[in-house]
Amino acid sequence: MKKTVLTLSALLAGLGVSLGQSESSLRFGEAGELGFLLRGNWTYDSNLTLSEDNEESGNYFTLTPGVNLTLGDNVTPFDLNFTGTYSLVRYTDKTRYNTHLWNLNGRGTYSLARTDLSVTGSYREIQANQADVEAIDDIVVTKTTRGGVNGVYQLSPKFSFGAGGSAEHKTYDGGNNLTRNIYTVPVDVFYALTPKLQATGGFRYRDTVVDGGVDTKDYFFNGGITGQLTPKLRSRARLGYQQRDFNDSQSNKGSFSVLSDTTYDATRRDQFGFRFNRDFATSGPGQSINRTSGGLTYRHEFPWDLTVSTGVTVQYNDYVDDPRDDTNVSGRVGLEYAINRYASANVMYSYRNNNSNQDGSSYHANMVRIGAGLRY
């Protein structure tokens, strides 16, 4: 433990030295900026593999350099934001889990008088087990490549039309999990109730193609609202009927589905968030799930550059045509201190618990993370 503390102290001191010698982000006229990122943290996890019977604790260090590029900056009709990071993960004694992780994310937007167009692309690698991903005494690395386009055209002062499409490719390193491709096409009509609130009616088609597994097609007919309900309350909600069709002998399944996200700014320093979703999903091994989840978050900014955030999420996974069902509860609390405009330090605690009626799938885990970040 002493060695861990000394190593972390050296990491934080190194960030401070870098801060003292660093320059501000690079500017390209009025419409461009290039920034450099550096994060480091130490993590202790009481159950690295989320095992029910063979809990394996351990701690590891992560060092993440990266860049952030912004073009447009609301000066031109075209805006681009790109962030790329590379994480080096090193375990103090479980060296078989050592890895490196790439995360690339880009978004471009283009606005005209009546048209708003956005294009997104990302590649993400995550080393973390989940309740619906199979991993026996191992930590799975999930790799996801995604691209999409979405556009909204204003037909009249009251009506707008939106359409888009996305493609996602997901693979798993570890466990008996299947590669899949997910294609999604949403179509929406918007009606302006107020200048900042719209009623919506829409349809979403989703095709999930699982290599070596069962393919599914989802049809979601929905209505809802999006925008600002009051000066302090913002919400985006879609609810309606969804049907999942299978390409094998399984009967088609129907469900009431909801996608919602609400934010309430109680004061200038206090913000609450609430999310409730009910949607079909596909597990790592390719099983179909009817998933219901809800979460509550709270964030408070103190006057002395200290921010506290906390949250709890409850997720119920009902496996279709399978007796298995899981109830997953997770919670976290964190503190972040802004040392100055360039550097910050943080500490976080999280708890995870999964209660499953399938042998070997229940678990609980505690995690503590201490870190620092630099942006210049």
Side-chain angles (χ1 to χ4, degrees), residues 3 14 25 31 65 75 80 82 113 122 130 182 188-189 194 198 205 209 238 263 280 282 309-310 327 339 342:
K3 181 179 178 182
S25 54
V75 177
L80 172 67
F82 169 80
S122 63
Q130 303 171 50
I182 304 172
D188 293 286
V189 176
T194 71
Q198 297 173 313
Y205 168 77
V209 182
R238 302 284 193 276
T263 302
F280 286 113
T282 303
S309 61
T310 185
T327 301
I339 300 170
Y342 299 110

Side-chain angles (χ1 to χ4, degrees), residues 128-136 138-143 170-180 210-213 282-287 289 319 324:
N129 287 355
Q130 303 171 50
D132 61 346
V133 174
E134 182 178 294
I136 301 176
D138 195 9
I139 306 179
V140 174
V141 175
T142 304
K143 301 178 181 179
K170 183 175 291 189
T171 63
Y172 304 88
D173 289 348
N176 184 30
N177 301 292
L178 304 177
T179 298
R180 75 279 316 275
V210 182
D211 290 355
T282 303
S283 72
Q287 301 153 295
I289 297 173
Y319 285 71
R324 177 180 175 180

Side-chain angles (χ1 to χ4, degrees), residues 145-336:
T145 305
R146 188 180 187 278
V149 60
N150 189 73
V152 177
Y153 179 75
Q154 187 173 352
L155 299 169
S156 71
K158 288 287 187 179
F159 285 96
S160 299
F161 173 78
S166 67
E168 180 179 296
H169 177 70
K170 183 175 291 189
T171 63
Y172 304 88
D173 289 348
N176 184 30
N177 301 292
L178 304 177
T179 298
R180 75 279 316 275
N181 293 305
I182 304 172
Y183 307 98
T184 306
V185 178
V187 177
D188 293 286
V189 176
F190 304 91
Y191 176 76
L193 299 172
T194 71
K196 296 184 178 181
L197 179 65
Q198 297 173 313
T200 68
F203 169 75
R204 185 192 67 185
Y205 168 77
R206 182 173 57 194
D207 185 7
T208 304
V209 182
V210 182
D211 290 355
V214 177
D215 300 341
T216 60
K217 298 182 187 296
D218 299 327
Y219 307 90
F220 181 31
F221 301 88
N222 61 82
I225 57 171
T226 183
Q228 193 168 303
L229 293 165
T230 72
K232 294 186 176 183
L233 184 65
R234 301 181 303 277
S235 184
R236 175 182 171 88
R238 302 284 193 276
L239 62 159
Y241 176 79
Q242 184 169 197
Q243 178 173 300
R244 167 161 282 195
D245 295 350
F246 303 86
N247 72 337
D248 65 356
S249 58
Q250 296 183 64
S251 300
N252 300 336
K253 302 297 180 182
S255 173
F256 174 72
S257 294
V258 180
L259 302 175
S260 68
D261 193 354
T262 301
T263 302
Y264 176 63
D265 297 321
T267 70
R268 186 171 62 88
R269 297 185 180 276
D270 297 274
Q271 183 182 82
F272 292 88
F274 176 71
R275 177 174 294 180
F276 180 79
N277 293 324
R278 179 175 170 82
D279 197 5
F280 286 113
T282 303
S283 72
Q287 301 153 295
S288 187
I289 297 173
N290 199 352
R291 172 174 294 161
T292 305
S293 64
L296 180 65
T297 60
Y298 170 69
R299 176 185 176 91
H300 177 76
E301 298 180 4
F302 291 95
W304 49 90
D305 298 323
L306 180 68
T307 300
V308 59
S309 61
T310 185
V312 61
T313 300
V314 179
Q315 182 182 100
Y316 176 70
N317 289 329
D318 180 14
Y319 285 71
V320 177
D321 289 336
D322 190 302
R324 177 180 175 180
D325 60 71
D326 291 11
T327 301
N328 187 277
V329 179
S330 62
R332 62 170 179 80
V333 59
L335 292 172
E336 182 174 5

Side-chain angles (χ1 to χ4, degrees), residues 115-133:
T115 305
D116 291 317
L117 181 68
S118 65
V119 179
T120 59
S122 63
Y123 174 74
R124 190 178 188 190
E125 297 179 342
I126 301 177
Q127 185 191 44
N129 287 355
Q130 303 171 50
D132 61 346
V133 174

